Amino acid sequence: MNLKEHYNRLYVNSIENIKKDQYIIDHLIDSSSDNRFGITVLIRPSLEVKNKIQDFLNELKKSNPNQYYYPNSDIHITVLSIISCHDGFDLKTISIPEYSKIIQKSIEDIKDLEIHFQGITASNSAIMVQGFTNNNSLDQLRDNLRINFKNSGLQQSIDSRYTIQTAHSTIMRFKEEIIDKETLLKSLEKYRAFDFGKFKVEKIELVHNDWYHREHFTQQLYSFVLKTNP
């Protein structure tokens, strides 16, 4: 996949839909009855990168404070959703050590992964930061996880919603009607190619999470250290 073309196509199509008021409002963000939970393998960007993202979000908040903005604690890149969030998932029904063994096995040949957050893109329901990798390690890690989990017999729902291929991070969701569309679109265009910085991926996490990866609903189950060249 050509990531740059993919992000650009997504941006162009989504901006057109936003202009036509054909964006999707998420009505469950503030719902107390949302019980969708699952487990995810993820990467967390560096603090320096996340702080630059917050500068961008602070600009968006000035004109449209009524949308849902991700705090630093919740910003992440999904490596793979092992069990997709769904109503009724109970962590007690799975063996975390067994899942951890599969993930540890999957990262053995993964090293020197760096992610560059540059520019923003959008979907019909969210704003995202574009992520680009320095090599094929993320693709290889995902393939390792897919193969090893599917061969394990453990409960999983990998790729059941869609096959993830990007390194993006969702940072804002539409939860109400856009107040000031003109200013929002200007800000998005301003940050279309903004350089949020690079970071080396030193570890990945297995977490129990809700749909939005909110900190107070997320539990780290295990942390895995990636290899780096000396």
Side-chain angles (χ1 to χ4, degrees), residues 78-104:
T78 297
V79 175
L80 211 60
S81 179
I82 306 302
I83 298 177
S84 297
C85 288
H86 64 273
D87 278 318
F89 172 66
D90 188 345
L91 197 58
K92 295 176 183 176
T93 63
I94 65 171
S95 169
I96 299 306
E98 291 300 317
Y99 282 76
S100 298
K101 286 179 186 177
I102 297 295
I103 297 169
Q104 187 63 53

Side-chain angles (χ1 to χ4, degrees), residues 67-157:
Q67 304 304 337
Y68 181 80
Y69 298 93
Y70 279 63
N72 273 355
S73 59
D74 302 356
I75 293 174
H76 67 281
I77 296 168
T78 297
V79 175
L80 211 60
S81 179
I82 306 302
I83 298 177
S84 297
C85 288
H86 64 273
D87 278 318
F89 172 66
D90 188 345
L91 197 58
K92 295 176 183 176
T93 63
I94 65 171
S95 169
I96 299 306
E98 291 300 317
Y99 282 76
S100 298
K101 286 179 186 177
I102 297 295
I103 297 169
Q104 187 63 53
K105 176 183 177 182
S106 301
I107 69 170
E108 289 303 316
D109 58 346
I110 305 300
K111 62 180 181 179
D112 298 316
L113 172 59
E114 184 177 80
I115 296 176
H116 188 189
F117 270 177
Q118 184 162 29
I120 57 98
T121 188
S123 71
N124 291 341
S125 60
I127 306 301
M128 300 164 283
V129 177
Q130 299 177 156
F132 300 91
T133 57
N134 62 322
N135 54 39
N136 69 343
S137 291
L138 183 57
D139 290 335
Q140 186 61 56
L141 173 56
R142 284 171 170 156
D143 286 343
N144 290 352
L145 289 167
R146 288 183 177 107
I147 293 168
N148 291 334
F149 270 107
K150 288 179 180 179
N151 289 337
S152 71
L154 296 174
Q155 179 187 346
Q156 53 87 16
S157 58

Side-chain angles (χ1 to χ4, degrees), residues 3-19:
L3 271 182
K4 190 171 184 180
E5 288 182 6
H6 173 75
Y7 286 137
N8 188 63
R9 186 165 56 250
L10 193 59
Y11 180 82
V12 170
N13 292 340
S14 300
I15 292 301
E16 282 304 307
N17 286 333
I18 291 171
K19 287 179 179 177

